[in-house]
Amino acid sequence: MAAAATSSPHSMLLHRPSPAAPKAGPAAAVSSIRLPARAAKISCAAVAAPSAATSPFAAAGERGVYNFAAGPATLPLAVLQKAQAELVDYRGSGMSIMEMSHRGKEFDAAIKKAEADLRALLAVPDTHEVLFLQGGASTQFSAVPLNLCASPAAPADFLVSGSWSDKAFKEAKKFSAASLAWSGKDGKYTSLPPLTSISQNPDAAFLHICSNETIHGVEFKDYPEPTNKNGLLVADMSSNFCSKPVDVSKFGVIYAGAQKNVGPSGVTIAIVRKDLVGKAQPNTPVMLDYKIHADNASLYNTPPCFAIYICGLVFEDLLAQGGLAEVEKKNQHKAGILYDAIDASGGYFVCPVEKSVRSLMNVPFTMAKGADLEKQFIAEAAKENMLQLKGHRSVGGVRASIYNAMPLSGVEKLVAFMKDFQARNP
Ligand code: PMP
């Protein structure tokens, strides 16, 4: 295969020498990554930027920047490096995993390993299917009621704790008699109700929650139980999936877009209790029917092969870290120092979310001195190679997303920067 590649005019990229490592500064670790020259230039421009030599803060991440994006979000460097090493010639096949049949032995092994590792990570019981789907978590907003409600007249409960659960609720109204069990809207989505005081419909087919509101930074620390004995708990876990152990057996359905904690966009993972499969409303589009995907081991049609493969690498990485209990400890520590810094700022930085439900993944905060200073904060942080800190356009402010792959050093650097910024702009 390699011989064929060398003779192709398109193969030049493969044979460009690895770029020299930056002489000093935060990007030094990048030197071990073999990038084509063009990509290397982009990377170096980003990392060489302002501050390696002059910044009062710790060096930036291994790639020269800390990426606080809410999703698509930072991935573990080791995963990207492994994917890079295997990109052109996947495990001796002479093809990338993007170029081969999704029914061939290589991809078959990759998807099976990804599923097995995810099952190990989350201790997914045999009672539940693991499905790799497409359409984003947003597609599950309709797939859930279509699969779990016998007809559009069947009741379902929604706990609306932020923008994402609100979207799920609105979509579900098309396919079920969805009603509001609780809304945090009046409190600007900064709290959750006591779990026992949610006004559930005793006939609801399911109670839907968003376990972590990515925009508002509200996270369930424990989960409500449906009052309907046959009712199900359903969770959109997009932004805290695999950030901590979860008792999967408590849930009828868990779904998550991959692009925050476990991979690139393009794949949505659904963990569905097996006895719920095969009961979709008759007019359910085939691609939204869990049974089709369960019967075909997520290979009914062409799956997002590359995204699934990357998720598999992330699952391996999380297992190598000691599993989700270890990952949770790291996440608690990272979030702890950031919230402490906010709370110790004397009101300069403000996190509006009630302490007991603050997210370990998405930390939104505002600045008492107003939006102009927030803009300045975000711009100056970017100059220090801390990127994508702008709050969601619907709420403004600042948001630091600190998913699994955000190193502790990134949060420490942000905290040091916050203190310095406050001192300079009292
Ligand atoms: N739910 C949550 C909690 C999210 O954060 C997002 C995306 N940011 C979505 C659903 C929608 O996901 P997707 O873009 O994959 O449809």
Side-chain angles (χ1 to χ4, degrees), residues 71-73 75 133-136 257-260 262-268 304 306-308 310-311:
L75 286 166
L133 306 173
Q134 300 188 63
Q259 66 270 21
K260 288 124 191 346
V262 297
S265 58
V267 61
T268 307
F306 189 74
I308 292 170
I310 298 283
C311 289

Side-chain angles (χ1 to χ4, degrees), residues 135-138 141 164 210 212 214 236 238-239 257 259-260:
S138 303
F141 296 166
W164 291 111
C210 175
N212 184 70
T214 321
D236 172 0
S238 295
S239 51
Q259 66 270 21
K260 288 124 191 346

Side-chain angles (χ1 to χ4, degrees), residues 57-262:
F57 307 105
E62 290 164 293
R63 282 180 282 167
V65 301
Y66 288 115
N67 172 5
F68 291 91
T74 190
L75 286 166
L77 181 59
V79 164
L80 296 176
Q81 286 174 319
K82 177 140 195 214
Q84 182 183 42
E86 300 186 326
L87 185 70
V88 174
D89 179 2
Y90 181 74
R91 302 185 189 180
S93 65
M95 293 174 268
S96 86
I97 199 157
M98 285 179 278
E99 300 169 296
M100 55 179 63
S101 169
H102 54 292
R103 305 196 188 280
K105 66 177 185 338
E106 290 93 351
F107 185 72
D108 183 60
I111 191 170
K112 283 193 173 128
K113 172 98 167 44
E115 177 175 340
D117 284 351
L118 178 59
R119 283 186 176 277
L121 268 176
L122 274 171
V124 178
D126 285 345
T127 47
H128 286 61
E129 298 279 358
V130 170
L131 306 176
F132 295 98
L133 306 173
Q134 300 188 63
S138 303
T139 298
Q140 294 307 306
F141 296 166
S142 33
V144 164
L146 279 166
N147 281 275
L148 304 188
C149 290
S151 80
D157 280 338
F158 280 75
L159 198 151
V160 173
S161 52
S163 300
W164 291 111
S165 45
D166 189 45
K167 283 196 169 148
F169 173 48
K170 287 184 173 133
E171 184 68 2
K173 283 182 184 172
K174 298 177 188 168
F175 310 108
S176 67
S179 55
L180 200 56
W182 183 83
S183 170
K185 192 172 181 191
D186 289 349
K188 299 197 170 156
Y189 298 128
T190 53
S191 64
L192 289 173
L195 296 185
T196 47
S197 71
I198 303 162
S199 62
Q200 297 187 46
N201 178 339
D203 297 322
F206 61 85
L207 170 64
H208 180 282
I209 62 168
C210 175
S211 61
N212 184 70
E213 288 283 356
T214 321
I215 295 173
H216 294 90
V218 174
E219 181 172 22
F220 281 83
K221 307 297 171 182
D222 201 0
Y223 303 103
E225 274 181 32
T227 47
N228 176 358
K229 270 205 215 69
N230 300 316
L232 307 160
L233 183 59
V234 174
D236 172 0
M237 290 198 181
S238 295
S239 51
N240 65 352
F241 191 59
C242 289
S243 67
K244 59 184 176 184
V246 166
D247 181 354
V248 174
S249 70
K250 283 190 175 168
F251 295 84
V253 178
I254 290 170
Y255 62 90
Q259 66 270 21
K260 288 124 191 346
N261 252 340
V262 297

